[in-house]
Amino acid sequence: MIEKVINIIYRKMTMENKFYTRAACYWAKVPATIDGVLGGFGHISDIDIVGSRDFLNKIKELDKHPDSKLALDCGAGIGRVTKNLLIPQFEKVDLVEQDEKFINTAKQLIGEDNANLGTVYKIGLQNFKPQKRYDVIWCQWVLGHLNDYDLIGFLERCREALNENGIIIVKENITTYNELEYDDDDSSVTRSCNLMIRIFKEAQLDIVLTDIQANLPADLYPVYMFALIPMQKIL
Ligand SMILES: C[S@@+](CC[C@H](N)C(=O)[O-])C[C@H]1O[C@@H](n2cnc3c(N)ncnc32)[C@H](O)[C@@H]1O
């Protein structure tokens, strides 16, 4: 019996390792360009940044809005979001990215001597533990690379790493039907809106604002933006 359980656990761990190593191998072969990190859709980058900027502006209008001192860009790629969205709005921006070539390009594009560039962490989000407190933690087009269990753990650690009035932003593709879709090419999943909401709840996060990215080509998944805060305790 014990042997059977150990075998099941071992098989599960092997499958999960494959899920992560396959994704890392996929990204290692992708050119460090905007078109590369956006899977051939580099032309939508400006539209995406405008949508994100509008969303951040709406967050600033909330009664309890985050400060603009320190932000964290998760799964930062070549620093597209950091450079075009976060650096103009925050005093310092830290990055987490696991691909070395993307990190080197991000440093070049942002400028290693740029006073707004903070710490760059080379690690997968499934193993990342924030070392500082952040006003905004931005997660875009990367969370499909985490399994549900690791995603909940990651979001919990982010929740604990928020400053007062801090916010986590999740900007991800969402399936149109209420189903999970697996992409064998880049080893990622696309989740339904219902599943995302369940995961946020598990991680004890409340949604304070949502929006759908406008003006994207019709053949792409809808892209949802969620602003999340630590779950409010009912006294
Ligand atoms: C679609 S790109 C998005 C990059 C960036 N967020 C953007 O919007 O320009 C996905 C990025 O996630 C990174 N990535 C994939 N799996 C990851 C993981 N487990 N932890 C951290 N980053 C990961 C890839 O290396 C790649 O840079």
Side-chain angles (χ1 to χ4, degrees):
M1 177 65 183
I2 291 178
E3 216 171 276
K4 208 172 164 191
V5 172
I6 290 172
N7 262 336
I8 292 170
I9 294 172
Y10 178 73
R11 236 181 298 141
K12 197 166 173 287
M13 279 167 61
T14 315
M15 271 163 60
E16 272 160 18
N17 279 343
K18 270 195 192 151
F19 178 65
Y20 290 114
T21 45
R22 284 179 60 142
C25 290
Y26 171 87
W27 288 108
K29 291 189 198 115
V30 170
T33 59
I34 295 215
D35 218 29
V37 290
L38 294 189
F41 286 88
H43 56 283
I44 65 155
S45 182
D46 289 348
I47 294 168
D48 161 66
I49 295 292
V50 169
S52 299
R53 204 174 291 143
D54 290 348
F55 194 63
L56 263 184
N57 287 338
K58 282 186 202 158
I59 286 170
K60 283 187 185 160
E61 286 166 15
L62 295 173
D63 280 347
K64 290 182 177 178
H65 57 266
D67 209 342
S68 44
K69 289 203 172 65
L70 185 59
L72 175 69
D73 183 2
C74 298
I78 59 167
R80 185 186 68 88
V81 173
T82 294
K83 184 174 181 202
N84 299 304
L85 174 75
L86 300 174
I87 279 189
Q89 306 230 20
F90 293 87
E91 284 174 25
K92 266 283 185 280
V93 183
D94 288 352
L95 286 77
V96 199
E97 167 58 51
Q98 65 178 15
D99 187 90
E100 191 161 5
K101 140 186 68 67
F102 287 166
I103 289 179
N104 292 337
T105 304
K107 285 179 180 167
Q108 265 173 27
L109 294 178
I110 296 161
E112 277 201 66
D113 54 351
N114 189 323
N116 298 106
L117 177 63
T119 312
V120 180
Y121 300 96
K122 184 186 172 304
I123 189 169
L125 298 183
Q126 64 279 17
N127 298 316
F128 175 68
K129 293 185 185 74
Q131 309 288 309
K132 307 180 193 172
R133 299 218 164 241
Y134 293 95
D135 299 308
V136 165
I137 299 181
W138 194 278
C139 311
Q140 177 162 1
W141 284 326
V142 66
L143 299 184
H145 284 297
L146 300 192
N147 65 37
D148 289 359
Y149 178 82
D150 287 339
L151 176 52
I152 292 166
F154 166 72
L155 289 172
E156 282 173 339
R157 296 192 294 279
C158 287
R159 188 197 72 218
E160 282 162 10
L162 288 175
N163 272 331
E164 199 184 343
N165 298 335
I167 281 189
I168 301 169
I169 311 283
V170 168
K171 185 166 186 179
E172 290 291 338
N173 292 348
I174 294 291
T175 54
T176 25
Y177 301 101
N178 198 14
E179 282 166 7
L180 183 87
E181 285 174 24
Y182 176 66
D183 185 336
D184 210 19
D185 278 345
D186 67 358
S187 186
S188 72
V189 293
T190 303
R191 297 182 167 93
S192 68
C193 197
N194 281 347
L195 178 56
M196 287 301 251
I197 291 168
R198 282 213 305 277
I199 286 173
F200 299 151
K201 207 171 166 192
E202 280 289 321
Q204 297 192 50
L205 291 163
D206 281 335
I207 301 172
V208 278
L209 202 66
T210 51
D211 210 346
I212 299 177
Q213 173 65 50
N215 303 322
L216 290 180
D219 53 340
L220 291 187
Y221 282 114
V223 177
Y224 281 49
M225 292 173 269
F226 301 92
L228 309 166
I229 59 164
M231 203 172 263
Q232 304 299 292
K233 291 194 180 78
I234 301 159
L235 299 172

CSV table of all heavy atoms in Angstrom, one decimal, residues 20 23-24 27-28 34 36-39 48 73-81 96-99 102 123-126 138-142 145-146 186, ligand 1:
chain,number,residue,atom,x,y,z
A,20,TYR,N,7.2,21.9,-16.1
A,20,TYR,CA,8.1,23.1,-15.9
A,20,TYR,C,9.3,23.1,-16.9
A,20,TYR,O,9.7,24.1,-17.4
A,20,TYR,CB,8.5,23.3,-14.5
A,20,TYR,CG,7.3,23.7,-13.6
A,20,TYR,CD1,6.8,22.8,-12.6
A,20,TYR,CD2,6.7,24.9,-13.8
A,20,TYR,CE1,5.7,23.2,-11.9
A,20,TYR,CE2,5.6,25.3,-13.0
A,20,TYR,CZ,5.1,24.4,-12.1
A,20,TYR,OH,4.0,24.8,-11.4
A,23,ALA,N,8.4,23.9,-20.5
A,23,ALA,CA,8.2,25.4,-20.7
A,23,ALA,C,9.5,26.1,-20.8
A,23,ALA,O,9.7,26.9,-21.7
A,23,ALA,CB,7.3,25.9,-19.6
A,24,ALA,N,10.4,25.8,-19.8
A,24,ALA,CA,11.7,26.5,-19.8
A,24,ALA,C,12.5,26.2,-21.1
A,24,ALA,O,13.1,27.1,-21.7
A,24,ALA,CB,12.5,26.0,-18.6
A,27,TRP,N,10.9,28.3,-24.0
A,27,TRP,CA,11.3,29.8,-24.0
A,27,TRP,C,12.8,30.0,-24.3
A,27,TRP,O,13.2,31.0,-24.8
A,27,TRP,CB,10.9,30.4,-22.7
A,27,TRP,CG,9.4,30.6,-22.6
A,27,TRP,CD1,8.5,29.9,-21.8
A,27,TRP,CD2,8.6,31.5,-23.4
A,27,TRP,NE1,7.2,30.3,-22.1
A,27,TRP,CE2,7.2,31.3,-23.0
A,27,TRP,CE3,8.9,32.4,-24.3
A,27,TRP,CZ2,6.2,32.0,-23.6
A,27,TRP,CZ3,7.8,33.1,-24.9
A,27,TRP,CH2,6.5,32.9,-24.6
A,28,ALA,N,13.6,29.0,-24.0
A,28,ALA,CA,15.0,29.1,-24.2
A,28,ALA,C,15.3,29.2,-25.7
A,28,ALA,O,16.3,29.7,-26.1
A,28,ALA,CB,15.8,27.9,-23.7
A,34,ILE,N,10.3,41.5,-28.9
A,34,ILE,CA,8.9,41.7,-28.5
A,34,ILE,C,8.0,40.6,-29.2
A,34,ILE,O,7.1,40.0,-28.6
A,34,ILE,CB,8.4,43.1,-28.8
A,34,ILE,CG1,9.2,44.1,-27.9
A,34,ILE,CG2,6.9,43.2,-28.6
A,34,ILE,CD1,8.5,45.3,-27.4
A,36,GLY,N,9.0,37.8,-30.2
A,36,GLY,CA,9.2,36.4,-29.6
A,36,GLY,C,8.4,36.2,-28.3
A,36,GLY,O,7.7,35.2,-28.2
A,37,VAL,N,8.5,37.2,-27.4
A,37,VAL,CA,7.8,36.9,-26.1
A,37,VAL,C,6.2,37.0,-26.3
A,37,VAL,O,5.5,36.5,-25.5
A,37,VAL,CB,8.2,37.9,-25.0
A,37,VAL,CG1,9.6,37.6,-24.5
A,37,VAL,CG2,8.0,39.4,-25.4
A,38,LEU,N,5.8,37.6,-27.4
A,38,LEU,CA,4.4,37.7,-27.6
A,38,LEU,C,3.9,36.7,-28.7
A,38,LEU,O,2.9,36.8,-29.3
A,38,LEU,CB,3.9,39.1,-28.0
A,38,LEU,CG,4.1,40.2,-26.9
A,38,LEU,CD1,3.5,41.5,-27.3
A,38,LEU,CD2,3.6,39.7,-25.5
A,39,GLY,N,4.7,35.7,-28.9
A,39,GLY,CA,4.3,34.6,-29.8
A,39,GLY,C,3.9,35.0,-31.2
A,39,GLY,O,3.0,34.5,-31.8
A,48,ASP,N,-1.8,46.6,-25.9
A,48,ASP,CA,-1.8,46.0,-24.6
A,48,ASP,C,-1.3,47.0,-23.5
A,48,ASP,O,-1.9,47.1,-22.4
A,48,ASP,CB,-0.8,44.8,-24.6
A,48,ASP,CG,-0.4,44.3,-23.2
A,48,ASP,OD1,-1.3,43.9,-22.5
A,48,ASP,OD2,0.8,44.5,-22.9
A,73,ASP,N,7.5,42.9,-11.5
A,73,ASP,CA,7.1,42.4,-12.8
A,73,ASP,C,7.4,40.9,-12.8
A,73,ASP,O,8.5,40.5,-12.9
A,73,ASP,CB,7.8,43.2,-14.0
A,73,ASP,CG,7.3,42.7,-15.3
A,73,ASP,OD1,6.4,41.9,-15.4
A,73,ASP,OD2,7.8,43.3,-16.3
A,74,CYS,N,6.3,40.1,-12.8
A,74,CYS,CA,6.5,38.6,-12.7
A,74,CYS,C,6.5,37.9,-14.1
A,74,CYS,O,5.5,38.1,-14.8
A,74,CYS,CB,5.4,38.0,-11.8
A,74,CYS,SG,5.5,38.7,-10.2
A,75,GLY,N,7.5,37.1,-14.4
A,75,GLY,CA,7.5,36.5,-15.7
A,75,GLY,C,7.8,37.6,-16.7
A,75,GLY,O,7.1,37.7,-17.8
A,76,ALA,N,8.8,38.4,-16.4
A,76,ALA,CA,9.0,39.7,-17.1
A,76,ALA,C,9.5,39.6,-18.5
A,76,ALA,O,9.4,40.6,-19.2
A,76,ALA,CB,10.0,40.5,-16.3
A,77,GLY,N,10.0,38.4,-19.0
A,77,GLY,CA,10.4,38.3,-20.3
A,77,GLY,C,11.6,39.3,-20.6
A,77,GLY,O,12.5,39.4,-19.8
A,78,ILE,N,11.5,40.1,-21.7
A,78,ILE,CA,12.6,41.0,-22.0
A,78,ILE,C,12.3,42.4,-21.4
A,78,ILE,O,12.8,43.4,-21.8
A,78,ILE,CB,12.8,41.1,-23.5
A,78,ILE,CG1,11.5,41.6,-24.2
A,78,ILE,CG2,13.2,39.8,-24.1
A,78,ILE,CD1,11.7,42.0,-25.7
A,79,GLY,N,11.4,42.5,-20.4
A,79,GLY,CA,11.1,43.7,-19.7
A,79,GLY,C,10.2,44.7,-20.5
A,79,GLY,O,10.2,45.9,-20.2
A,80,ARG,N,9.4,44.1,-21.3
A,80,ARG,CA,8.4,44.9,-22.1
A,80,ARG,C,7.5,45.7,-21.2
A,80,ARG,O,7.3,46.9,-21.4
A,80,ARG,CB,7.6,44.0,-23.0
A,80,ARG,CG,6.7,44.6,-24.0
A,80,ARG,CD,5.9,43.5,-24.7
A,80,ARG,NE,5.0,42.8,-23.8
A,80,ARG,CZ,3.8,43.2,-23.6
A,80,ARG,NH1,3.3,44.3,-24.2
A,80,ARG,NH2,3.0,42.6,-22.7
A,81,VAL,N,6.9,45.0,-20.2
A,81,VAL,CA,5.9,45.6,-19.3
A,81,VAL,C,6.7,46.6,-18.4
A,81,VAL,O,6.2,47.7,-18.1
A,81,VAL,CB,5.1,44.6,-18.5
A,81,VAL,CG1,4.3,45.2,-17.4
A,81,VAL,CG2,4.3,43.7,-19.5
A,96,VAL,N,11.1,39.4,-12.0
A,96,VAL,CA,11.4,37.9,-11.8
A,96,VAL,C,11.2,37.3,-13.2
A,96,VAL,O,10.2,37.5,-13.9
A,96,VAL,CB,10.3,37.2,-10.9
A,96,VAL,CG1,10.9,35.9,-10.5
A,96,VAL,CG2,9.8,38.0,-9.8
A,97,GLU,N,12.2,36.6,-13.6
A,97,GLU,CA,12.2,35.9,-14.9
A,97,GLU,C,13.2,34.7,-14.8
A,97,GLU,O,14.2,34.8,-14.2
A,97,GLU,CB,12.6,36.9,-16.0
A,97,GLU,CG,12.9,36.3,-17.4
A,97,GLU,CD,11.7,35.4,-18.0
A,97,GLU,OE1,10.6,35.9,-18.1
A,97,GLU,OE2,12.0,34.3,-18.4
A,98,GLN,N,12.8,33.6,-15.4
A,98,GLN,CA,13.7,32.4,-15.3
A,98,GLN,C,14.7,32.2,-16.4
A,98,GLN,O,15.6,31.5,-16.3
A,98,GLN,CB,12.9,31.2,-15.0
A,98,GLN,CG,12.0,30.7,-16.2
A,98,GLN,CD,11.3,29.4,-15.9
A,98,GLN,OE1,11.2,29.0,-14.8
A,98,GLN,NE2,10.7,28.8,-17.0
A,99,ASP,N,14.4,32.9,-17.6
A,99,ASP,CA,15.3,32.7,-18.8
A,99,ASP,C,16.4,33.7,-18.8
A,99,ASP,O,16.1,34.9,-18.9
A,99,ASP,CB,14.4,32.8,-20.0
A,99,ASP,CG,15.2,32.4,-21.3
A,99,ASP,OD1,15.2,31.2,-21.6
A,99,ASP,OD2,15.8,33.3,-21.8
A,102,PHE,N,16.5,36.3,-21.8
A,102,PHE,CA,15.5,37.3,-21.7
A,102,PHE,C,16.0,38.4,-20.6
A,102,PHE,O,15.9,39.6,-20.8
A,102,PHE,CB,14.2,36.8,-21.2
A,102,PHE,CG,13.5,36.0,-22.3
A,102,PHE,CD1,12.4,35.2,-22.0
A,102,PHE,CD2,13.9,36.1,-23.7
A,102,PHE,CE1,11.7,34.5,-23.0
A,102,PHE,CE2,13.2,35.4,-24.7
A,102,PHE,CZ,12.1,34.6,-24.3
A,123,ILE,N,14.6,33.1,-11.4
A,123,ILE,CA,14.0,32.0,-10.8
A,123,ILE,C,12.6,31.8,-11.3
A,123,ILE,O,11.9,32.7,-11.8
A,123,ILE,CB,13.9,32.2,-9.2
A,123,ILE,CG1,13.5,31.0,-8.5
A,123,ILE,CG2,13.1,33.4,-8.9
A,123,ILE,CD1,13.8,31.0,-7.0
A,124,GLY,N,12.1,30.5,-11.3
A,124,GLY,CA,10.7,30.3,-11.7
A,124,GLY,C,9.7,30.8,-10.6
A,124,GLY,O,10.1,30.7,-9.4
A,125,LEU,N,8.6,31.2,-11.0
A,125,LEU,CA,7.6,31.8,-10.0
A,125,LEU,C,7.2,30.7,-9.0
A,125,LEU,O,6.8,31.0,-7.9
A,125,LEU,CB,6.4,32.3,-10.8
A,125,LEU,CG,6.6,33.5,-11.7
A,125,LEU,CD1,5.3,34.0,-12.3
A,125,LEU,CD2,7.3,34.6,-11.0
A,126,GLN,N,7.2,29.4,-9.4
A,126,GLN,CA,6.8,28.3,-8.5
A,126,GLN,C,7.7,28.2,-7.3
A,126,GLN,O,7.3,27.7,-6.3
A,126,GLN,CB,6.6,27.0,-9.3
A,126,GLN,CG,7.9,26.4,-9.9
A,126,GLN,CD,8.3,27.0,-11.2
A,126,GLN,OE1,7.8,28.1,-11.6
A,126,GLN,NE2,9.2,26.3,-11.9
A,138,TRP,N,2.8,42.8,-10.7
A,138,TRP,CA,2.2,42.6,-12.0
A,138,TRP,C,2.5,41.3,-12.6
A,138,TRP,O,3.7,40.9,-12.7
A,138,TRP,CB,2.7,43.7,-13.0
A,138,TRP,CG,1.9,43.9,-14.2
A,138,TRP,CD1,2.0,43.1,-15.3
A,138,TRP,CD2,0.8,44.8,-14.5
A,138,TRP,NE1,1.1,43.5,-16.3
A,138,TRP,CE2,0.4,44.5,-15.8
A,138,TRP,CE3,0.3,45.8,-13.7
A,138,TRP,CZ2,-0.7,45.3,-16.3
A,138,TRP,CZ3,-0.8,46.5,-14.3
A,138,TRP,CH2,-1.2,46.3,-15.6
A,139,CYS,N,1.5,40.5,-12.9
A,139,CYS,CA,1.7,39.1,-13.5
A,139,CYS,C,1.0,39.0,-14.8
A,139,CYS,O,-0.2,39.0,-14.8
A,139,CYS,CB,1.1,38.0,-12.6
A,139,CYS,SG,1.5,38.2,-10.8
A,140,GLN,N,1.7,39.0,-15.9
A,140,GLN,CA,1.1,39.0,-17.2
A,140,GLN,C,1.6,37.9,-18.1
A,140,GLN,O,2.8,37.8,-18.3
A,140,GLN,CB,1.3,40.4,-17.9
A,140,GLN,CG,0.7,40.5,-19.3
A,140,GLN,CD,0.6,41.8,-19.8
A,140,GLN,OE1,0.9,42.8,-19.1
A,140,GLN,NE2,0.0,42.0,-21.0
A,141,TRP,N,0.7,37.2,-18.7
A,141,TRP,CA,1.0,36.1,-19.7
A,141,TRP,C,2.1,35.2,-19.2
A,141,TRP,O,3.0,34.9,-19.9
A,141,TRP,CB,1.3,36.8,-21.0
A,141,TRP,CG,0.1,37.3,-21.8
A,141,TRP,CD1,-1.1,36.7,-21.7
A,141,TRP,CD2,0.0,38.5,-22.6
A,141,TRP,NE1,-2.0,37.5,-22.5
A,141,TRP,CE2,-1.3,38.5,-23.1
A,141,TRP,CE3,0.9,39.4,-23.0
A,141,TRP,CZ2,-1.8,39.5,-23.9
A,141,TRP,CZ3,0.5,40.4,-23.9
A,141,TRP,CH2,-0.8,40.5,-24.3
A,142,VAL,N,1.9,34.8,-17.9
A,142,VAL,CA,2.9,33.8,-17.4
A,142,VAL,C,2.2,32.8,-16.4
A,142,VAL,O,2.7,31.7,-16.3
A,142,VAL,CB,4.1,34.6,-16.6
A,142,VAL,CG1,3.5,35.3,-15.4
A,142,VAL,CG2,5.1,33.6,-16.2
A,145,HIS,N,1.8,29.1,-16.9
A,145,HIS,CA,2.9,28.2,-16.8
A,145,HIS,C,3.0,27.5,-15.4
A,145,HIS,O,4.0,26.8,-15.1
A,145,HIS,CB,4.2,28.9,-17.1
A,145,HIS,CG,4.4,29.1,-18.6
A,145,HIS,ND1,4.6,28.1,-19.5
A,145,HIS,CD2,4.5,30.2,-19.3
A,145,HIS,CE1,4.7,28.6,-20.7
A,145,HIS,NE2,4.6,29.9,-20.6
A,146,LEU,N,2.1,27.9,-14.5
A,146,LEU,CA,2.1,27.3,-13.1
A,146,LEU,C,0.9,26.4,-13.0
A,146,LEU,O,-0.2,26.7,-13.5
A,146,LEU,CB,2.0,28.4,-12.0
A,146,LEU,CG,3.1,29.4,-12.0
A,146,LEU,CD1,2.9,30.2,-10.7
A,146,LEU,CD2,4.5,28.8,-12.0
A,186,ASP,N,4.1,25.2,-25.8
A,186,ASP,CA,4.9,26.0,-24.8
A,186,ASP,C,4.6,25.4,-23.3
A,186,ASP,O,5.1,26.0,-22.4
A,186,ASP,CB,4.6,27.5,-24.8
A,186,ASP,CG,3.1,27.8,-24.4
A,186,ASP,OD1,2.4,26.9,-24.1
A,186,ASP,OD2,2.8,29.0,-24.4
B,1,LIG,C1,4.4,35.2,-23.0
B,1,LIG,S1,5.9,35.7,-22.3
B,1,LIG,C2,5.4,37.1,-21.4
B,1,LIG,C3,6.5,38.1,-21.0
B,1,LIG,C4,6.0,39.3,-20.3
B,1,LIG,N1,5.2,39.1,-19.2
B,1,LIG,C5,5.3,40.2,-21.3
B,1,LIG,O1,4.1,40.4,-21.2
B,1,LIG,O2,6.0,40.8,-22.2
B,1,LIG,C6,6.0,34.5,-20.9
B,1,LIG,C7,7.3,34.7,-20.1
B,1,LIG,O3,7.1,33.9,-18.9
B,1,LIG,C8,8.4,33.3,-18.6
B,1,LIG,N2,8.1,32.0,-17.8
B,1,LIG,C9,7.6,30.9,-18.2
B,1,LIG,N3,7.5,30.0,-17.2
B,1,LIG,C10,7.9,30.7,-16.1
B,1,LIG,C11,8.0,30.3,-14.7
B,1,LIG,N4,7.6,29.1,-14.3
B,1,LIG,N5,8.4,31.3,-13.9
B,1,LIG,C12,8.8,32.5,-14.3
B,1,LIG,N6,8.8,32.9,-15.6
B,1,LIG,C13,8.3,32.0,-16.5
B,1,LIG,C14,9.0,33.0,-20.0
B,1,LIG,O4,10.4,32.8,-19.9
B,1,LIG,C15,8.6,34.3,-20.7
B,1,LIG,O5,9.5,35.3,-20.5
